[in-house]
């Protein structure tokens, strides 16, 4: 597959098919218009306070905190029901990292030229590329995982808060100039696909019990 780039000076951009280049250029143009329009309508978005808020959203959906909190919960929460959620959450995070990394390695699209790399939280390897947005895919997958699979009886208040967080993370990726609109749209679609995949590959309670014990290296009995 031919890699593509935009918003940068990579030599690979010379090998992009003309039709795809038109799509990418249109995406760049629409992204700039979207960001400019939002910043004109809501000046706080472009302010230091607005950027700080969006960077907090960036960290809240970064893979490292999610992996760390999931592993900590495996050590601390040992009921069978908790184990089932924890292990499937862990596997879903792994699916997400693998799929996003694979697509980014194939496409190798540059991030927007206005992105500030030194301002990004823990970006290494293929994560320096833009397509698709890993934050968007993870936010969508996590929100659907908890509201549909893990805690289907979740109250409407927490459901709205979780879905609102996912939406805010997704939009902030464009407003922070980390991604183009097409990157985020692809991330949302990938997150939904991961949600369907997690339902197909759902690990049952007994297997989760064994895997949780193995990961935590614990012989303690379950509390429930």
């Amino acid at each position: 597959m031919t890699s593509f780039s935009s918003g940068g000076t990579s030599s690979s951009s010379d090998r992009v098919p003309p039709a795809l280049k038109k799509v990418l250029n249109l995406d760049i143009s629409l992204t700039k218009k979207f960001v400019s329009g939002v910043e004109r309508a809501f000046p706080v978005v472009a302010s230091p306070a607005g950027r700080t808020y969006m960077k907090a959203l960036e960290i809240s959906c970064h893979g490292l905190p999610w992996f760390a909190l999931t592993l900590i919960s495996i050590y601390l929460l040992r009921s069978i029901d908790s184990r089932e959620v924890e292990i499937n959450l862990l596997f879903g995070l792994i699916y997400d990292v693998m799929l996003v990394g694979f697509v980014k390695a194939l496409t190798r699209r540059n991030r927007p030229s206005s992105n500030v790399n030194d301002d990004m939280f823990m970006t290494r390897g293929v994560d320096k590329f833009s397509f698709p947005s890993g934050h968007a895919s993870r936010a969508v997958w996590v929100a659907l995982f908890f509201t549909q699979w893990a805690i289907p009886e979740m109250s409407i208040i927490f459901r709205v808060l979780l879905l609102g967080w996912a939406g805010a993370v997704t939009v902030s990726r464009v407003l922070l100039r980390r991604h183009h609109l097409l990157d985020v749209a692809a991330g949302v679609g990938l997150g939904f696909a991961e949600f369907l995949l997690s339902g197909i590959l759902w690990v049952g309670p007994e297997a989760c019990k064994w895997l949780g014990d193995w990961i935590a290296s614990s012989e303690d009995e379950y509390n429930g």
Side-chain angles (χ1 to χ4, degrees):
M1 180 178 177
T2 302
S3 62
F4 61 83
S5 64
S6 63
T9 59
S10 172
S11 61
S12 64
S13 61
D14 297 332
R15 301 193 297 271
V16 177
L20 178 57
K21 185 175 291 187
K22 288 183 179 180
V23 172
L24 297 178
N25 288 336
L26 177 61
D27 184 32
I28 293 173
S29 176
L30 291 175
T31 299
K32 290 180 179 178
K33 290 180 180 178
F34 173 78
V35 173
S36 298
V38 172
E39 289 181 346
R40 283 197 301 270
F42 305 99
V44 68
V45 170
S47 69
R51 188 167 183 84
T52 298
Y53 169 72
M54 290 188 292
K55 285 177 64 179
L57 287 172
E58 178 176 73
I59 295 173
S60 74
C61 195
H62 195 280
L64 287 180
W66 275 96
F67 273 107
L69 290 173
T70 301
L71 291 173
I72 289 172
S73 71
I74 290 174
Y75 274 90
L76 298 180
L77 305 177
R78 307 245 177 125
S79 71
I80 293 178
D81 290 341
S82 296
R83 279 285 198 249
E84 188 172 3
V85 173
E86 294 157 0
I87 296 300
N88 283 286
L89 175 60
L90 179 62
F91 282 164
L93 294 173
I94 294 173
Y95 303 152
D96 178 64
V97 169
M98 292 176 62
L99 290 171
V100 170
F102 177 72
V103 177
K104 283 189 174 184
L106 282 180
T107 58
R108 304 175 72 85
R109 185 186 195 187
N110 293 333
R111 292 186 183 272
S113 57
S114 55
N115 176 54
V116 182
N117 287 322
D118 293 342
D119 193 34
M120 296 180 69
F121 177 70
M122 294 295 291
T123 302
R124 299 289 185 273
V126 296
D127 201 36
K128 66 183 179 181
F129 298 118
S130 184
F131 184 92
S133 168
H135 276 73
S137 67
R138 187 175 302 113
V140 170
W141 178 79
V142 166
L144 292 175
F145 173 82
F146 280 107
T147 58
Q148 302 300 317
W149 293 141
I151 316 175
E153 69 280 5
M154 181 184 295
S155 71
I156 187 63
I157 295 177
F158 287 107
R159 191 179 296 268
V160 169
L161 288 174
L162 185 56
L163 294 175
W165 166 81
V169 168
T170 300
V171 175
S172 72
R173 304 311 292 158
V174 179
L175 296 179
L176 275 172
R177 295 173 173 79
R178 305 297 198 215
H179 294 280
H180 306 92
L181 290 171
L182 187 59
D183 305 331
V184 170
V188 170
L190 183 59
F192 184 76
E194 291 167 355
F195 162 67
L196 298 178
L197 181 65
S198 67
I200 296 171
L201 302 180
W202 189 268
V203 183
E206 293 302 321
C208 288
K209 176 181 183 300
W210 180 85
L211 285 169
D213 281 342
W214 179 74
I215 293 174
S217 300
S218 172
E219 297 180 357
D220 293 342
E221 295 182 356
Y222 281 81
N223 297 323

